[in-house]
Amino acid sequence: MRRTTWGVVALVVFIAAAALIVAATDVPAAYLFAPLLSLAILWIGLGSLRSLQMGGAHIPDGDPQVVDPAVERTTYWCAGCGAELLLLVRGTDAPPRHCGERMRERIEIQADRGDGVS
Ligand SMILES: [Zn+2]
């Protein structure tokens, strides 16, 4: 069983036990549910830190690939300011950002004219 599943099972058991104790005794509910709330806050905080740890997951593992502009001409266009970029080395498939937005990709592939010269 995964670690998250064990955490959910332990949480459900704790809530059920706390509800039984509150119903059967004079213990105020806040005394039992306050530690539960602190555990929930800790769980959310640790989850946020784990997401920060994965922040560089978009960076590719492989080496950048050189794009031959004679065969494939990839440009990125910014809808905000009109800037246009020509891709010479491909590092990742995600388009770059400009003016706070993703740039629009346009790929032109050189058609083979059949005479060996393109
Ligand atoms: Zn721009």
Side-chain angles (χ1 to χ4, degrees), residues 78 81 98-99:
C78 176
C81 68
H98 200 262
C99 294

Short mmCIF file of all heavy atoms in Angstrom, two decimals, residues 78 81 98-99, ligand 1:
data_model
loop_
_atom_site.label_atom_id
_atom_site.label_comp_id
_atom_site.label_asym_id
_atom_site.label_seq_id
_atom_site.Cartn_x
_atom_site.Cartn_y
_atom_site.Cartn_z
N CYS A 78 5.16 36.73 -30.59
CA CYS A 78 4.51 37.26 -29.39
C CYS A 78 3.30 38.08 -29.82
O CYS A 78 3.42 39.03 -30.60
CB CYS A 78 5.50 38.12 -28.60
SG CYS A 78 4.75 38.93 -27.18
N CYS A 81 3.57 42.06 -28.21
CA CYS A 81 4.39 43.14 -28.76
C CYS A 81 4.81 42.89 -30.20
O CYS A 81 5.38 43.77 -30.83
CB CYS A 81 5.64 43.34 -27.88
SG CYS A 81 6.80 41.98 -27.95
N HIS A 98 6.90 35.53 -23.59
CA HIS A 98 7.26 36.92 -23.81
C HIS A 98 6.06 37.76 -23.44
O HIS A 98 4.93 37.37 -23.70
CB HIS A 98 7.65 37.15 -25.28
CG HIS A 98 8.47 38.37 -25.51
ND1 HIS A 98 7.93 39.55 -25.94
CD2 HIS A 98 9.79 38.59 -25.34
CE1 HIS A 98 8.89 40.45 -26.05
NE2 HIS A 98 10.04 39.89 -25.69
N CYS A 99 6.26 38.89 -22.83
CA CYS A 99 5.19 39.77 -22.36
C CYS A 99 4.23 39.01 -21.44
O CYS A 99 3.03 39.29 -21.39
CB CYS A 99 4.41 40.39 -23.52
SG CYS A 99 5.39 41.51 -24.52
ZN ZN B 1 6.20 40.40 -26.26
#
